Amino acid sequence: MNIVSLSVGLAGLMIVGGVLAMIISGIRSLTQGKQDFKRIALMMVPVVVFAITYFALDQDEVKAAVMTAGVMMGGMVLTIFLTGLRGTFKF
């Protein structure tokens, strides 16, 4: 086993550990009443979009990831446009 394989494995382990810590912290904050359920559910939007694109694109992870990024960026642009439009017309 060379140093590159070890480094990649440790980096992956750290990412998984960080995600698990965030999930546990979110659940704990939700049960203690510190966070609103809507805020935590909002964090699941990319996961849901990925799942939809994953199954729509014949279970290809790479295409689903790229499509998810595109959909999320498109949603961001649309949201910025609508927020600016609302501010312009004051409604």
Side-chain angles (χ1 to χ4, degrees):
M1 179 176 272
N2 60 12
I3 191 74
V4 175
S5 299
L6 184 63
S7 299
V8 170
L10 286 174
L13 186 64
M14 288 172 46
I15 290 171
V16 169
V19 169
L20 285 175
M22 286 188 283
I23 290 171
I24 291 169
S25 175
I27 291 171
R28 195 179 90 217
S29 294
L30 187 62
T31 58
Q32 292 176 351
K34 293 180 181 178
Q35 289 291 330
D36 187 20
F37 180 73
K38 290 184 281 188
R39 289 183 183 178
I40 293 177
L42 189 62
M43 298 301 290
M44 293 302 295
V45 171
V47 176
V48 171
V49 171
F50 179 80
I52 291 169
T53 57
Y54 178 75
F55 290 111
L57 296 173
D58 297 327
Q59 299 180 354
D60 186 5
E61 300 90 10
V62 176
K63 288 181 183 178
V66 171
M67 184 63 74
T68 300
V71 168
M72 296 305 293
M73 282 189 263
M76 178 189 66
V77 169
L78 181 64
T79 304
I80 291 171
F81 174 74
L82 291 176
T83 303
L85 190 65
R86 190 181 99 200
T88 301
F89 293 110
K90 310 261 189 286
F91 61 86

